[in-house]
Amino acid sequence: MSLLANIAGFSIFGLAARLGQLGIQKRPLLSNPTGHLVSMGVFGFAGYWAYQWDVRAAELIAEKRSQIQEHRRKQIEAAENSGVEALAGEH
């Protein structure tokens, strides 16, 4: 998901939350547009943060996968070397 789509989606959710809040309070929905903008901005920032967190988590997962693959490769090499040494020692 792109950064813009993430921010826009969270902003729209923030607007919906604000409209729901005003609906519960039975206040006019368009009485204070500044409140709508603040709500959209706060939720948009949360969307930006969520996107950055997702990117960082993907980087950490890729890094950990490469570490695990390297560790497995070393274990396989060590097992193969010890097997060759055991066969050489039998003769």
Side-chain angles (χ1 to χ4, degrees):
M1 189 181 259
S2 71
L3 176 62
L4 183 60
N6 217 20
I7 292 174
F10 272 77
S11 293
I12 290 171
F13 182 79
L15 178 62
R18 175 71 177 159
L19 293 175
Q21 174 191 23
L22 292 175
I24 289 171
Q25 294 175 354
K26 295 185 181 186
R27 291 175 44 200
L29 297 181
L30 300 176
S31 65
N32 185 7
T34 306
H36 299 332
L37 293 175
V38 168
S39 179
M40 289 176 71
V42 168
F43 276 85
F45 179 73
Y48 173 78
W49 180 82
Y51 177 82
Q52 295 300 328
W53 180 75
D54 189 41
V55 168
R56 179 67 180 140
E59 291 172 358
L60 289 174
I61 289 171
E63 182 180 314
K64 190 63 175 177
R65 277 190 181 151
S66 68
Q67 288 175 355
I68 290 170
Q69 287 176 347
E70 181 65 24
H71 182 67
R72 286 181 182 166
R73 186 186 60 78
K74 287 180 181 179
Q75 282 182 330
I76 291 170
E77 287 177 1
E80 288 174 350
N81 290 338
S82 66
V84 169
E85 291 172 4
L87 288 176
E90 290 178 4
H91 294 281

